[in-house]
Short mmCIF file of all heavy atoms in Angstrom, two decimals:
data_model
loop_
_atom_site.label_atom_id
_atom_site.label_comp_id
_atom_site.label_asym_id
_atom_site.label_seq_id
_atom_site.Cartn_x
_atom_site.Cartn_y
_atom_site.Cartn_z
N VAL J 1 -3.30 5.90 8.69
CA VAL J 1 -3.75 6.17 7.35
C VAL J 1 -3.56 4.90 6.54
O VAL J 1 -2.51 4.28 6.59
CB VAL J 1 -2.96 7.33 6.72
CG1 VAL J 1 -3.33 7.52 5.28
CG2 VAL J 1 -3.14 8.59 7.51
N ARG J 2 -4.56 4.55 5.79
CA ARG J 2 -4.50 3.34 4.97
C ARG J 2 -4.94 3.66 3.56
O ARG J 2 -6.02 4.22 3.36
CB ARG J 2 -5.41 2.28 5.58
CG ARG J 2 -5.37 0.97 4.84
CD ARG J 2 -6.16 -0.09 5.63
NE ARG J 2 -6.09 -1.35 4.97
CZ ARG J 2 -7.05 -1.84 4.18
NH1 ARG J 2 -8.16 -1.16 4.00
NH2 ARG J 2 -6.91 -3.00 3.60
N MET J 3 -4.10 3.35 2.60
CA MET J 3 -4.44 3.52 1.19
C MET J 3 -4.27 2.17 0.51
O MET J 3 -3.19 1.85 0.02
CB MET J 3 -3.54 4.57 0.53
CG MET J 3 -3.85 5.98 0.94
SD MET J 3 -5.46 6.57 0.36
CE MET J 3 -5.24 6.65 -1.39
N PRO J 4 -5.30 1.35 0.50
CA PRO J 4 -5.16 0.01 -0.08
C PRO J 4 -4.99 0.06 -1.59
O PRO J 4 -5.37 1.03 -2.25
CB PRO J 4 -6.49 -0.66 0.30
CG PRO J 4 -7.45 0.46 0.47
CD PRO J 4 -6.65 1.63 0.97
N ASN J 5 -4.40 -0.98 -2.13
CA ASN J 5 -4.28 -1.14 -3.57
C ASN J 5 -5.64 -1.65 -4.08
O ASN J 5 -5.83 -2.83 -4.29
CB ASN J 5 -3.16 -2.11 -3.90
CG ASN J 5 -2.96 -2.23 -5.39
OD1 ASN J 5 -3.43 -1.40 -6.16
ND2 ASN J 5 -2.26 -3.27 -5.79
N HIS J 6 -6.58 -0.73 -4.22
CA HIS J 6 -7.98 -1.07 -4.50
C HIS J 6 -8.58 0.04 -5.35
O HIS J 6 -8.17 1.19 -5.25
CB HIS J 6 -8.72 -1.20 -3.16
CG HIS J 6 -10.08 -1.78 -3.28
ND1 HIS J 6 -11.19 -1.01 -3.50
CD2 HIS J 6 -10.52 -3.05 -3.20
CE1 HIS J 6 -12.26 -1.78 -3.55
NE2 HIS J 6 -11.86 -3.03 -3.36
N TRP J 7 -9.58 -0.27 -6.15
CA TRP J 7 -10.17 0.73 -7.05
C TRP J 7 -10.76 1.92 -6.28
O TRP J 7 -10.81 3.03 -6.78
CB TRP J 7 -11.23 0.11 -7.96
CG TRP J 7 -12.36 -0.58 -7.25
CD1 TRP J 7 -12.45 -1.90 -6.95
CD2 TRP J 7 -13.56 0.03 -6.74
NE1 TRP J 7 -13.62 -2.16 -6.28
CE2 TRP J 7 -14.34 -0.99 -6.14
CE3 TRP J 7 -14.05 1.33 -6.73
CZ2 TRP J 7 -15.57 -0.74 -5.55
CZ3 TRP J 7 -15.28 1.57 -6.15
CH2 TRP J 7 -16.02 0.54 -5.57
N ILE J 8 -11.18 1.74 -5.06
CA ILE J 8 -11.76 2.84 -4.29
C ILE J 8 -10.71 3.92 -4.01
O ILE J 8 -11.04 5.11 -3.91
CB ILE J 8 -12.42 2.33 -2.98
CG1 ILE J 8 -13.35 3.40 -2.39
CG2 ILE J 8 -11.39 1.93 -1.96
CD1 ILE J 8 -14.63 3.58 -3.10
N SER J 9 -9.44 3.54 -3.97
CA SER J 9 -8.37 4.52 -3.75
C SER J 9 -8.30 5.54 -4.89
O SER J 9 -8.03 6.72 -4.67
CB SER J 9 -7.02 3.82 -3.60
OG SER J 9 -7.03 3.00 -2.46
N ARG J 10 -8.56 5.09 -6.12
CA ARG J 10 -8.57 6.02 -7.27
C ARG J 10 -9.71 7.03 -7.13
O ARG J 10 -9.56 8.21 -7.45
CB ARG J 10 -8.68 5.25 -8.57
CG ARG J 10 -7.42 4.48 -8.90
CD ARG J 10 -7.45 3.88 -10.30
NE ARG J 10 -8.59 3.01 -10.55
CZ ARG J 10 -8.65 1.73 -10.23
NH1 ARG J 10 -7.64 1.15 -9.63
NH2 ARG J 10 -9.72 1.01 -10.51
N ILE J 11 -10.85 6.59 -6.64
CA ILE J 11 -11.99 7.50 -6.45
C ILE J 11 -11.65 8.54 -5.39
O ILE J 11 -11.93 9.72 -5.56
CB ILE J 11 -13.26 6.71 -6.07
CG1 ILE J 11 -13.69 5.84 -7.26
CG2 ILE J 11 -14.37 7.64 -5.61
CD1 ILE J 11 -14.81 4.89 -6.97
N VAL J 12 -11.01 8.12 -4.31
CA VAL J 12 -10.60 9.05 -3.25
C VAL J 12 -9.66 10.10 -3.83
O VAL J 12 -9.81 11.30 -3.55
CB VAL J 12 -9.93 8.29 -2.09
CG1 VAL J 12 -9.30 9.26 -1.09
CG2 VAL J 12 -10.93 7.38 -1.40
N GLN J 13 -8.72 9.69 -4.66
CA GLN J 13 -7.79 10.64 -5.28
C GLN J 13 -8.53 11.63 -6.17
O GLN J 13 -8.27 12.82 -6.16
CB GLN J 13 -6.72 9.92 -6.07
CG GLN J 13 -5.68 9.26 -5.18
CD GLN J 13 -4.63 8.55 -5.99
OE1 GLN J 13 -4.92 7.86 -6.96
NE2 GLN J 13 -3.37 8.71 -5.57
N GLU J 14 -9.47 11.14 -6.96
CA GLU J 14 -10.23 12.02 -7.86
C GLU J 14 -11.10 13.01 -7.09
O GLU J 14 -11.24 14.16 -7.47
CB GLU J 14 -11.08 11.19 -8.82
CG GLU J 14 -10.26 10.48 -9.87
CD GLU J 14 -11.11 9.59 -10.76
OE1 GLU J 14 -12.32 9.87 -10.94
OE2 GLU J 14 -10.56 8.61 -11.30
N LEU J 15 -11.70 12.56 -6.00
CA LEU J 15 -12.54 13.43 -5.18
C LEU J 15 -11.70 14.46 -4.42
O LEU J 15 -12.19 15.52 -4.07
CB LEU J 15 -13.34 12.61 -4.17
CG LEU J 15 -14.45 11.73 -4.72
CD1 LEU J 15 -15.01 10.85 -3.60
CD2 LEU J 15 -15.55 12.58 -5.33
N ASP J 16 -10.45 14.11 -4.15
CA ASP J 16 -9.55 14.91 -3.34
C ASP J 16 -10.16 15.15 -1.95
O ASP J 16 -10.03 16.22 -1.37
CB ASP J 16 -9.20 16.23 -4.02
CG ASP J 16 -7.98 16.90 -3.41
OD1 ASP J 16 -7.12 16.17 -2.87
OD2 ASP J 16 -7.90 18.14 -3.43
N LEU J 17 -10.85 14.13 -1.46
CA LEU J 17 -11.46 14.15 -0.13
C LEU J 17 -11.24 12.79 0.52
O LEU J 17 -11.28 11.77 -0.15
CB LEU J 17 -12.98 14.39 -0.22
CG LEU J 17 -13.45 15.73 -0.75
CD1 LEU J 17 -14.94 15.67 -1.03
CD2 LEU J 17 -13.15 16.82 0.26
N PRO J 18 -11.02 12.77 1.81
CA PRO J 18 -10.85 11.46 2.46
C PRO J 18 -12.19 10.73 2.61
O PRO J 18 -13.24 11.36 2.69
CB PRO J 18 -10.29 11.83 3.83
CG PRO J 18 -10.80 13.21 4.08
CD PRO J 18 -10.88 13.88 2.73
N ILE J 19 -12.13 9.43 2.63
CA ILE J 19 -13.29 8.61 2.97
C ILE J 19 -12.95 7.95 4.30
O ILE J 19 -11.95 7.25 4.42
CB ILE J 19 -13.58 7.55 1.90
CG1 ILE J 19 -14.02 8.24 0.61
CG2 ILE J 19 -14.64 6.57 2.40
CD1 ILE J 19 -14.32 7.30 -0.52
N VAL J 20 -13.78 8.20 5.30
CA VAL J 20 -13.53 7.65 6.63
C VAL J 20 -14.37 6.40 6.79
O VAL J 20 -15.58 6.40 6.55
CB VAL J 20 -13.88 8.69 7.72
CG1 VAL J 20 -13.65 8.11 9.10
CG2 VAL J 20 -13.07 9.97 7.50
N THR J 21 -13.72 5.34 7.21
CA THR J 21 -14.41 4.07 7.36
C THR J 21 -13.75 3.27 8.49
O THR J 21 -12.77 3.70 9.07
CB THR J 21 -14.37 3.28 6.03
OG1 THR J 21 -15.16 2.11 6.17
CG2 THR J 21 -12.96 2.92 5.63
N THR J 22 -14.28 2.14 8.76
CA THR J 22 -13.70 1.25 9.75
C THR J 22 -13.74 -0.17 9.21
O THR J 22 -14.45 -0.46 8.25
CB THR J 22 -14.47 1.34 11.09
OG1 THR J 22 -13.77 0.56 12.04
CG2 THR J 22 -15.89 0.86 10.95
N SER J 23 -13.01 -1.03 9.84
CA SER J 23 -13.03 -2.43 9.46
C SER J 23 -14.32 -3.06 9.97
O SER J 23 -14.82 -2.71 11.03
CB SER J 23 -11.84 -3.15 10.10
OG SER J 23 -11.96 -4.53 9.90
N ALA J 24 -14.85 -3.97 9.21
CA ALA J 24 -16.05 -4.69 9.65
C ALA J 24 -15.68 -5.97 10.37
O ALA J 24 -16.55 -6.70 10.83
CB ALA J 24 -16.94 -5.00 8.45
N ASN J 25 -14.38 -6.24 10.46
CA ASN J 25 -13.93 -7.44 11.18
C ASN J 25 -13.98 -7.18 12.67
O ASN J 25 -13.54 -6.15 13.15
CB ASN J 25 -12.51 -7.82 10.75
CG ASN J 25 -12.47 -8.32 9.33
OD1 ASN J 25 -13.34 -9.06 8.90
ND2 ASN J 25 -11.47 -7.90 8.59
N ARG J 26 -14.54 -8.12 13.40
CA ARG J 26 -14.66 -8.00 14.86
C ARG J 26 -13.46 -8.65 15.53
O ARG J 26 -13.05 -9.75 15.15
CB ARG J 26 -15.95 -8.69 15.34
CG ARG J 26 -17.24 -8.25 14.68
CD ARG J 26 -17.68 -6.89 15.14
NE ARG J 26 -17.88 -6.84 16.56
CZ ARG J 26 -19.04 -6.67 17.15
NH1 ARG J 26 -20.13 -6.52 16.43
NH2 ARG J 26 -19.12 -6.63 18.46
N THR J 27 -12.92 -8.00 16.54
CA THR J 27 -11.79 -8.53 17.29
C THR J 27 -12.13 -9.90 17.85
O THR J 27 -13.19 -10.10 18.43
CB THR J 27 -11.41 -7.57 18.43
OG1 THR J 27 -11.11 -6.30 17.88
CG2 THR J 27 -10.22 -8.09 19.22
N GLY J 28 -11.22 -10.84 17.61
CA GLY J 28 -11.39 -12.19 18.13
C GLY J 28 -12.27 -13.09 17.28
O GLY J 28 -12.45 -14.26 17.59
N LYS J 29 -12.85 -12.57 16.21
CA LYS J 29 -13.71 -13.37 15.33
C LYS J 29 -12.96 -13.68 14.03
O LYS J 29 -11.96 -13.04 13.71
CB LYS J 29 -14.99 -12.60 14.98
CG LYS J 29 -15.81 -12.16 16.17
CD LYS J 29 -16.53 -13.32 16.79
CE LYS J 29 -17.42 -12.82 17.91
NZ LYS J 29 -18.10 -13.84 18.59
N GLU J 30 -13.46 -14.65 13.27
CA GLU J 30 -12.88 -14.96 11.96
C GLU J 30 -12.99 -13.72 11.07
O GLU J 30 -13.95 -12.96 11.17
CB GLU J 30 -13.63 -16.11 11.30
CG GLU J 30 -13.37 -17.45 11.95
CD GLU J 30 -11.95 -17.94 11.69
OE1 GLU J 30 -11.45 -17.79 10.56
OE2 GLU J 30 -11.35 -18.45 12.65
N ILE J 31 -11.99 -13.53 10.18
CA ILE J 31 -12.06 -12.38 9.28
C ILE J 31 -13.18 -12.58 8.26
O ILE J 31 -13.49 -13.69 7.86
CB ILE J 31 -10.72 -12.11 8.56
CG1 ILE J 31 -10.33 -13.27 7.65
CG2 ILE J 31 -9.64 -11.76 9.54
CD1 ILE J 31 -9.23 -12.92 6.69
N MET J 32 -13.79 -11.49 7.91
CA MET J 32 -14.88 -11.48 6.94
C MET J 32 -14.30 -11.44 5.53
O MET J 32 -13.34 -10.72 5.28
CB MET J 32 -15.68 -10.20 7.17
CG MET J 32 -17.13 -10.32 6.94
SD MET J 32 -17.88 -8.71 7.20
CE MET J 32 -17.34 -7.88 5.75
N THR J 33 -14.84 -12.22 4.61
CA THR J 33 -14.36 -12.20 3.24
C THR J 33 -15.45 -11.83 2.24
O THR J 33 -15.20 -11.74 1.05
CB THR J 33 -13.76 -13.56 2.84
OG1 THR J 33 -14.78 -14.57 2.95
CG2 THR J 33 -12.57 -13.93 3.71
N HIS J 34 -16.67 -11.60 2.73
CA HIS J 34 -17.78 -11.23 1.84
C HIS J 34 -18.81 -10.43 2.63
O HIS J 34 -19.02 -10.67 3.83
CB HIS J 34 -18.44 -12.49 1.25
CG HIS J 34 -19.35 -12.19 0.11
ND1 HIS J 34 -20.68 -11.91 0.29
CD2 HIS J 34 -19.11 -12.10 -1.21
CE1 HIS J 34 -21.24 -11.68 -0.89
NE2 HIS J 34 -20.30 -11.77 -1.81
N VAL J 35 -19.45 -9.49 1.96
CA VAL J 35 -20.43 -8.62 2.61
C VAL J 35 -21.58 -9.42 3.26
O VAL J 35 -22.15 -8.99 4.25
CB VAL J 35 -20.95 -7.54 1.63
CG1 VAL J 35 -21.85 -8.14 0.58
CG2 VAL J 35 -21.62 -6.40 2.35
N ASP J 36 -21.87 -10.59 2.72
CA ASP J 36 -22.93 -11.43 3.30
C ASP J 36 -22.59 -11.91 4.71
O ASP J 36 -23.46 -12.37 5.44
CB ASP J 36 -23.21 -12.65 2.41
CG ASP J 36 -23.89 -12.27 1.11
OD1 ASP J 36 -24.46 -11.15 1.03
OD2 ASP J 36 -23.86 -13.08 0.16
N GLU J 37 -21.32 -11.84 5.09
CA GLU J 37 -20.88 -12.31 6.40
C GLU J 37 -20.92 -11.21 7.47
O GLU J 37 -20.51 -11.44 8.60
CB GLU J 37 -19.46 -12.86 6.30
CG GLU J 37 -19.36 -14.05 5.36
CD GLU J 37 -17.94 -14.42 5.03
OE1 GLU J 37 -16.99 -13.73 5.46
OE2 GLU J 37 -17.76 -15.42 4.32
N LEU J 38 -21.42 -10.03 7.11
CA LEU J 38 -21.50 -8.93 8.08
C LEU J 38 -22.34 -9.32 9.28
O LEU J 38 -23.38 -9.95 9.15
CB LEU J 38 -22.14 -7.70 7.44
CG LEU J 38 -21.24 -6.74 6.72
CD1 LEU J 38 -22.06 -5.72 5.95
CD2 LEU J 38 -20.28 -6.06 7.67
N ASP J 39 -21.87 -8.93 10.45
CA ASP J 39 -22.60 -9.14 11.69
C ASP J 39 -23.97 -8.45 11.58
O ASP J 39 -24.06 -7.31 11.12
CB ASP J 39 -21.79 -8.54 12.85
CG ASP J 39 -22.47 -8.72 14.18
OD1 ASP J 39 -23.29 -7.85 14.54
OD2 ASP J 39 -22.18 -9.73 14.83
N ILE J 40 -25.02 -9.11 12.00
CA ILE J 40 -26.39 -8.59 11.88
C ILE J 40 -26.55 -7.26 12.61
O ILE J 40 -27.24 -6.36 12.13
CB ILE J 40 -27.44 -9.64 12.34
CG1 ILE J 40 -28.83 -9.22 11.94
CG2 ILE J 40 -27.35 -9.87 13.82
CD1 ILE J 40 -29.13 -9.42 10.49
N LYS J 41 -25.91 -7.09 13.77
CA LYS J 41 -26.00 -5.83 14.52
C LYS J 41 -25.33 -4.70 13.75
O LYS J 41 -25.85 -3.58 13.72
CB LYS J 41 -25.36 -5.97 15.90
CG LYS J 41 -26.14 -6.85 16.84
CD LYS J 41 -25.44 -6.94 18.18
CE LYS J 41 -26.18 -7.90 19.10
NZ LYS J 41 -25.49 -8.09 20.36
N LEU J 42 -24.20 -4.99 13.13
CA LEU J 42 -23.51 -3.99 12.32
C LEU J 42 -24.32 -3.64 11.08
O LEU J 42 -24.47 -2.48 10.72
CB LEU J 42 -22.12 -4.49 11.93
CG LEU J 42 -21.26 -3.55 11.11
CD1 LEU J 42 -21.01 -2.25 11.86
CD2 LEU J 42 -19.95 -4.21 10.73
N LYS J 43 -24.87 -4.67 10.43
CA LYS J 43 -25.68 -4.46 9.22
C LYS J 43 -26.84 -3.50 9.48
O LYS J 43 -27.16 -2.65 8.65
CB LYS J 43 -26.27 -5.80 8.74
CG LYS J 43 -25.73 -6.30 7.47
CD LYS J 43 -26.49 -7.57 7.08
CE LYS J 43 -25.70 -8.31 6.07
NZ LYS J 43 -26.33 -9.54 5.65
N SER J 44 -27.44 -3.60 10.64
CA SER J 44 -28.61 -2.77 10.95
C SER J 44 -28.25 -1.29 11.10
O SER J 44 -29.12 -0.44 11.05
CB SER J 44 -29.31 -3.27 12.21
OG SER J 44 -28.52 -3.03 13.35
N LYS J 45 -26.96 -0.98 11.26
CA LYS J 45 -26.54 0.41 11.46
C LYS J 45 -25.90 1.03 10.22
O LYS J 45 -25.53 2.19 10.24
CB LYS J 45 -25.56 0.47 12.63
CG LYS J 45 -26.22 0.04 13.93
CD LYS J 45 -25.26 0.03 15.06
CE LYS J 45 -25.99 -0.56 16.26
NZ LYS J 45 -25.54 -0.15 17.50
N LEU J 46 -25.77 0.26 9.16
CA LEU J 46 -25.12 0.75 7.94
C LEU J 46 -26.05 1.59 7.09
O LEU J 46 -27.23 1.28 6.97
CB LEU J 46 -24.63 -0.42 7.09
CG LEU J 46 -23.49 -1.24 7.61
CD1 LEU J 46 -23.20 -2.38 6.66
CD2 LEU J 46 -22.25 -0.39 7.82
N GLU J 47 -25.49 2.62 6.49
CA GLU J 47 -26.23 3.37 5.47
C GLU J 47 -26.06 2.69 4.13
O GLU J 47 -26.97 2.67 3.31
CB GLU J 47 -25.74 4.81 5.43
CG GLU J 47 -26.13 5.59 6.67
CD GLU J 47 -25.74 7.05 6.56
OE1 GLU J 47 -25.83 7.61 5.45
OE2 GLU J 47 -25.36 7.62 7.59
N PHE J 48 -24.86 2.17 3.86
CA PHE J 48 -24.60 1.41 2.64
C PHE J 48 -23.32 0.60 2.82
O PHE J 48 -22.55 0.84 3.73
CB PHE J 48 -24.49 2.32 1.42
CG PHE J 48 -23.23 3.13 1.38
CD1 PHE J 48 -22.12 2.68 0.68
CD2 PHE J 48 -23.16 4.35 2.03
CE1 PHE J 48 -20.96 3.43 0.65
CE2 PHE J 48 -22.01 5.11 1.99
CZ PHE J 48 -20.90 4.65 1.30
N ALA J 49 -23.13 -0.37 1.93
CA ALA J 49 -21.91 -1.17 1.92
C ALA J 49 -21.52 -1.41 0.48
O ALA J 49 -22.38 -1.55 -0.39
CB ALA J 49 -22.13 -2.50 2.63
N LEU J 50 -20.23 -1.44 0.21
CA LEU J 50 -19.73 -1.77 -1.12
C LEU J 50 -19.55 -3.27 -1.20
O LEU J 50 -18.84 -3.85 -0.39
CB LEU J 50 -18.39 -1.08 -1.39
CG LEU J 50 -18.41 0.43 -1.41
CD1 LEU J 50 -16.99 0.97 -1.54
CD2 LEU J 50 -19.29 0.94 -2.54
N ASP J 51 -20.19 -3.90 -2.17
CA ASP J 51 -20.05 -5.34 -2.36
C ASP J 51 -19.06 -5.57 -3.50
O ASP J 51 -19.38 -5.35 -4.66
CB ASP J 51 -21.40 -5.97 -2.68
CG ASP J 51 -21.33 -7.49 -2.76
OD1 ASP J 51 -20.21 -8.05 -2.76
OD2 ASP J 51 -22.40 -8.11 -2.83
N ASP J 52 -17.87 -5.97 -3.14
CA ASP J 52 -16.81 -6.19 -4.12
C ASP J 52 -16.55 -7.68 -4.33
O ASP J 52 -15.48 -8.08 -4.74
CB ASP J 52 -15.54 -5.48 -3.65
CG ASP J 52 -14.59 -5.15 -4.78
OD1 ASP J 52 -15.04 -5.06 -5.94
OD2 ASP J 52 -13.39 -4.99 -4.51
N GLY J 53 -17.57 -8.48 -4.02
CA GLY J 53 -17.42 -9.93 -4.16
C GLY J 53 -16.59 -10.51 -3.02
O GLY J 53 -16.28 -9.84 -2.04
N ARG J 54 -16.22 -11.76 -3.17
CA ARG J 54 -15.41 -12.42 -2.15
C ARG J 54 -13.98 -11.88 -2.23
O ARG J 54 -13.43 -11.76 -3.29
CB ARG J 54 -15.41 -13.93 -2.34
CG ARG J 54 -14.70 -14.63 -1.22
CD ARG J 54 -15.29 -15.95 -0.79
NE ARG J 54 -16.71 -16.08 -0.68
CZ ARG J 54 -17.42 -15.89 0.44
NH1 ARG J 54 -16.81 -15.49 1.53
NH2 ARG J 54 -18.71 -16.08 0.45
N ILE J 55 -13.42 -11.53 -1.08
CA ILE J 55 -12.09 -10.93 -1.02
C ILE J 55 -11.12 -11.91 -0.38
O ILE J 55 -11.38 -12.45 0.70
CB ILE J 55 -12.13 -9.62 -0.20
CG1 ILE J 55 -13.05 -8.63 -0.90
CG2 ILE J 55 -10.74 -9.06 -0.02
CD1 ILE J 55 -13.30 -7.36 -0.13
N ALA J 56 -10.01 -12.13 -1.06
CA ALA J 56 -8.94 -12.98 -0.52
C ALA J 56 -7.91 -12.08 0.13
O ALA J 56 -7.81 -10.90 -0.18
CB ALA J 56 -8.31 -13.79 -1.65
N GLY J 57 -7.15 -12.62 1.03
CA GLY J 57 -6.11 -11.83 1.66
C GLY J 57 -6.14 -11.94 3.15
O GLY J 57 -6.68 -12.90 3.70
N HIS J 58 -5.59 -10.93 3.79
CA HIS J 58 -5.51 -10.95 5.25
C HIS J 58 -5.72 -9.53 5.77
O HIS J 58 -5.58 -8.56 5.03
CB HIS J 58 -4.16 -11.49 5.71
CG HIS J 58 -3.00 -10.78 5.08
ND1 HIS J 58 -2.50 -9.60 5.57
CD2 HIS J 58 -2.28 -11.06 3.99
CE1 HIS J 58 -1.52 -9.19 4.80
NE2 HIS J 58 -1.36 -10.06 3.84
N PRO J 59 -6.06 -9.40 7.03
CA PRO J 59 -6.29 -8.07 7.61
C PRO J 59 -5.01 -7.23 7.61
O PRO J 59 -3.90 -7.77 7.53
CB PRO J 59 -6.72 -8.36 9.05
CG PRO J 59 -7.09 -9.79 9.09
CD PRO J 59 -6.31 -10.46 8.00
N SER J 60 -5.18 -5.94 7.70
CA SER J 60 -4.04 -5.03 7.76
C SER J 60 -3.24 -5.23 9.04
O SER J 60 -3.77 -5.64 10.06
CB SER J 60 -4.53 -3.57 7.74
OG SER J 60 -5.25 -3.32 6.58
N THR J 61 -1.97 -4.91 8.96
CA THR J 61 -1.11 -4.90 10.13
C THR J 61 -1.20 -3.53 10.77
O THR J 61 -1.15 -2.52 10.08
CB THR J 61 0.35 -5.19 9.73
OG1 THR J 61 0.40 -6.48 9.13
CG2 THR J 61 1.28 -5.15 10.94
N ILE J 62 -1.35 -3.50 12.08
CA ILE J 62 -1.41 -2.22 12.81
C ILE J 62 -0.08 -2.01 13.50
O ILE J 62 0.41 -2.90 14.20
CB ILE J 62 -2.56 -2.22 13.83
CG1 ILE J 62 -3.89 -2.44 13.11
CG2 ILE J 62 -2.57 -0.92 14.62
CD1 ILE J 62 -5.07 -2.63 14.04
N ILE J 63 0.50 -0.82 13.29
CA ILE J 63 1.79 -0.48 13.89
C ILE J 63 1.60 0.70 14.84
O ILE J 63 1.03 1.71 14.47
CB ILE J 63 2.82 -0.10 12.81
CG1 ILE J 63 2.99 -1.19 11.76
CG2 ILE J 63 4.16 0.28 13.45
CD1 ILE J 63 3.61 -2.46 12.27
N ASP J 64 2.09 0.54 16.07
CA ASP J 64 2.13 1.64 17.04
C ASP J 64 3.36 2.46 16.68
O ASP J 64 4.50 2.03 16.89
CB ASP J 64 2.23 1.08 18.45
CG ASP J 64 2.31 2.16 19.52
OD1 ASP J 64 2.76 3.28 19.23
OD2 ASP J 64 1.96 1.85 20.67
N THR J 65 3.16 3.64 16.10
CA THR J 65 4.29 4.46 15.65
C THR J 65 5.01 5.16 16.80
O THR J 65 6.12 5.65 16.62
CB THR J 65 3.83 5.50 14.61
OG1 THR J 65 2.83 6.33 15.19
CG2 THR J 65 3.30 4.83 13.37
N ILE J 66 4.40 5.22 17.98
CA ILE J 66 5.06 5.81 19.14
C ILE J 66 6.10 4.83 19.70
O ILE J 66 7.24 5.18 19.95
CB ILE J 66 4.05 6.20 20.24
CG1 ILE J 66 2.96 7.15 19.70
CG2 ILE J 66 4.75 6.76 21.47
CD1 ILE J 66 3.47 8.49 19.24
N GLN J 67 5.65 3.58 19.89
CA GLN J 67 6.55 2.57 20.46
C GLN J 67 7.21 1.71 19.37
O GLN J 67 7.98 0.81 19.68
CB GLN J 67 5.76 1.69 21.43
CG GLN J 67 5.24 2.47 22.62
CD GLN J 67 4.52 1.58 23.62
OE1 GLN J 67 4.77 0.38 23.69
NE2 GLN J 67 3.64 2.17 24.38
N ASN J 68 6.88 1.99 18.11
CA ASN J 68 7.45 1.28 16.96
C ASN J 68 7.33 -0.23 17.12
O ASN J 68 8.31 -0.97 17.02
CB ASN J 68 8.90 1.68 16.73
CG ASN J 68 9.36 1.26 15.34
OD1 ASN J 68 8.55 1.19 14.42
ND2 ASN J 68 10.64 1.03 15.19
N LYS J 69 6.09 -0.68 17.38
CA LYS J 69 5.87 -2.12 17.51
C LYS J 69 4.55 -2.50 16.86
O LYS J 69 3.64 -1.68 16.74
CB LYS J 69 5.93 -2.59 18.95
CG LYS J 69 4.79 -2.09 19.81
CD LYS J 69 4.91 -2.64 21.23
CE LYS J 69 3.71 -2.23 22.04
NZ LYS J 69 3.74 -2.77 23.39
N ARG J 70 4.47 -3.75 16.47
CA ARG J 70 3.27 -4.31 15.85
C ARG J 70 2.24 -4.60 16.94
O ARG J 70 2.58 -5.10 18.01
CB ARG J 70 3.65 -5.59 15.12
CG ARG J 70 2.51 -6.28 14.47
CD ARG J 70 3.00 -7.55 13.83
NE ARG J 70 1.87 -8.27 13.34
CZ ARG J 70 1.89 -9.06 12.31
NH1 ARG J 70 3.00 -9.27 11.66
NH2 ARG J 70 0.80 -9.70 11.92
N ILE J 71 0.99 -4.29 16.65
CA ILE J 71 -0.10 -4.57 17.59
C ILE J 71 -0.81 -5.85 17.11
O ILE J 71 -1.31 -5.90 15.99
CB ILE J 71 -1.09 -3.40 17.67
CG1 ILE J 71 -0.37 -2.17 18.21
CG2 ILE J 71 -2.30 -3.78 18.52
CD1 ILE J 71 -1.20 -0.91 18.18
N GLU J 72 -0.80 -6.85 17.95
CA GLU J 72 -1.43 -8.13 17.60
C GLU J 72 -2.95 -8.00 17.82
O GLU J 72 -3.40 -7.43 18.78
CB GLU J 72 -0.88 -9.27 18.47
CG GLU J 72 0.61 -9.48 18.30
CD GLU J 72 1.01 -9.94 16.91
OE1 GLU J 72 0.23 -10.64 16.24
OE2 GLU J 72 2.13 -9.59 16.49
N ARG J 73 -3.73 -8.60 16.90
CA ARG J 73 -5.18 -8.60 17.03
C ARG J 73 -5.69 -10.00 17.18
O ARG J 73 -5.16 -10.92 16.73
CB ARG J 73 -5.85 -7.98 15.81
CG ARG J 73 -5.45 -6.57 15.60
CD ARG J 73 -6.30 -5.91 14.60
NE ARG J 73 -5.77 -6.14 13.25
CZ ARG J 73 -6.42 -5.84 12.17
NH1 ARG J 73 -7.61 -5.35 12.23
NH2 ARG J 73 -5.91 -6.02 10.99
#
């Protein structure tokens, strides 16, 4: 479960419904920082995308809660 510190989280709370999504970053590739950098194959399958401008930061950390260890990507 991921609840980022982002304006979309407030909308999710108001709707009282989950929004299911996935990362657009591809394993082994540079992280994406703008919607214009979306992979062409992925773009062709999207119904819509939120363009929030250029995003600074880093990808989320994934934790295996069964083995209590960080999963490297």
Side-chain angles (χ1 to χ4, degrees):
V1 174
R2 182 172 182 261
M3 287 293 293
N5 183 16
H6 190 271
W7 58 266
I8 196 74
S9 297
R10 290 189 304 276
I11 293 172
V12 171
Q13 286 180 316
E14 288 177 27
L15 290 173
D16 197 28
L17 295 168
I19 294 179
V20 179
T21 186
T22 186
S23 172
N25 291 319
R26 306 287 301 247
T27 302
K29 303 286 185 183
E30 288 290 318
I31 63 166
M32 214 182 74
T33 60
H34 194 271
V35 72
D36 289 342
E37 298 168 356
L38 272 170
D39 181 272
I40 193 76
K41 290 179 184 176
L42 181 60
K43 248 185 198 179
S44 69
K45 297 177 186 207
L46 291 177
E47 290 185 37
F48 72 95
L50 297 174
D51 185 350
D52 204 22
R54 186 143 318 267
I55 298 173
H58 53 83
S60 301
T61 300
I62 301 173
I63 305 293
D64 178 335
T65 58
I66 304 296
Q67 297 183 25
N68 196 29
K69 67 178 185 178
R70 179 182 174 150
I71 297 173
E72 299 295 329
R73 300 192 273 169

